[in-house]
Amino acid sequence: MECVVQGIIETQHVEALEILLQGLCGVRKENIKVHELCLKSGPNLGSEASEVRLLCNLEQPEPTWTVRHVGGSMRGAGADQISVLVRTMVESKVSKNVLRLFYLLGYKLDHELLRVGFAFHFYRGAQITITVVSVGKMLKLHATDDSVPVTPGIQVVEVTAPASAENYNEVATAVSSFCEYLAPLLHLSKPGVTTGVVPTAAAAAASLMSFSGGNNNM
C-alpha cells in the first residue's frame, strides 16, 4: 500500500520549491528522467479492464525497467477522514524485454509519457518521497527525444510513502504534517481532486529566493 497526495506548481516557482525541500529534507536531490508506458488489458484478459505502467529509468547508464500496478483506493468513513489517498500498489524490477511479454499476454499500449525533474527521498515519521516533474507526451512511438509538454508552464508534485494495513494512519499523519511546510507554495490533495495553484505562491517564492540568495548548488 501507499499514501499519496498530489499538486501542481508553476514552473517559475520550482527553483524556490527545490530550495525549500533541500532545507527541509537535508538530503541531495535525485534527477529524474522516466519513460512511462501505460498498458491496458485486451478482451482476452477478462471483462474487467486492468492497467499497468512500465517505467524505464533513463537516468541510469543502462536503462532499468520497473512494472507498477496501482490498485483501488481505500474507501469508507475512515478514508474520508484522512487528507491523503491510501491505495494498493505493487511494484517490481523487470528485464528490458518486459514490454514484449505484456504484448504477448494481450496488453495494448494506451499512451506514453516522459517525466523529467527531481526527487527527494528522506525519513520524517515515514519514508517519504517527493517528486517534482514536467510531463510530456510522445509525438511518435517511443520517441523520448521528441516529447511535448502536457501542461506547459506547470509541473506536477507528488508526495508518496509506503504503508500497510497496520500503519497507514501513522504514515498518513506523517505525510500530512510534512505537507504543511509546503503550503505557502502549493496545494496538495488526494489524486483526482483539482485544487489549482496557490495565489500567494509568487510572494512565498520571492521570499525563499531572497533568503537563499537565489542559489541552489546542491
Side-chain angles (χ1 to χ4, degrees):
M1 300 176 72
E2 69 175 2
C3 294
V4 56
V5 289
Q6 293 178 340
I8 58 174
I9 187 170
E10 292 174 300
T11 300
Q12 60 185 326
H13 303 323
V14 166
E15 185 178 356
L17 177 60
E18 182 181 342
I19 290 169
L20 177 60
L21 289 172
Q22 186 70 65
L24 291 171
C25 304
V27 296
R28 289 183 176 274
K29 71 175 182 181
E30 171 191 313
N31 291 324
I32 293 176
K33 187 176 182 181
V34 173
H35 179 196
E36 178 179 307
L37 300 94
C38 178
L39 305 176
K40 292 193 175 181
S41 60
N44 62 310
L45 293 173
S47 57
E48 290 292 330
S50 64
E51 178 182 295
V52 296
R53 294 179 183 271
L54 302 183
L55 311 175
C56 183
N57 185 348
L58 302 177
E59 277 292 327
Q60 299 295 325
E62 180 69 25
T64 57
W65 287 84
T66 301
V67 60
R68 178 180 173 93
H69 177 263
V70 176
S73 58
M74 189 177 72
R75 300 181 182 277
D80 293 339
Q81 291 171 6
I82 57 179
S83 60
V84 308
L85 183 72
V86 183
R87 65 189 182 189
T88 58
M89 188 275 294
V90 179
E91 187 175 274
S92 62
K93 299 294 183 183
V94 290
S95 76
K96 62 183 179 181
N97 298 317
V98 67
L99 181 58
R100 185 183 307 169
L101 171 63
F102 274 100
Y103 283 162
L104 291 173
L105 289 174
Y107 280 84
K108 304 292 184 182
L109 179 63
D110 186 69
H111 63 271
E112 295 178 273
L113 298 173
L114 184 68
R115 300 181 184 272
V116 180
F118 60 88
F120 286 93
H121 307 277
F122 60 97
Y123 186 86
R124 182 72 70 87
Q127 192 61 49
I128 298 173
T129 295
I130 298 181
T131 60
V132 183
V133 297
S134 59
V135 182
K137 60 182 179 181
M138 309 305 171
L139 294 176
K140 299 178 181 178
L141 188 66
H142 306 335
T144 55
D145 292 332
D146 295 321
S147 66
V148 296
V150 173
T151 53
I154 295 290
Q155 297 202 23
V156 178
V157 181
E158 185 174 77
V159 183
T160 60
S164 68
E166 290 74 32
N167 73 349
Y168 71 83
N169 264 318
E170 292 81 0
V171 174
T173 298
V175 171
S176 296
S177 297
F178 183 80
C179 289
E180 290 178 5
Y181 293 108
L182 309 181
L185 287 176
L186 74 156
H187 294 301
L188 289 164
S189 59
K190 296 177 181 180
V193 179
T194 304
T195 54
V197 298
V198 176
T200 57
S207 177
L208 279 164
M209 297 295 287
S210 175
F211 180 76
S212 68
N215 293 314
N216 185 6
N217 298 316
M218 298 300 287

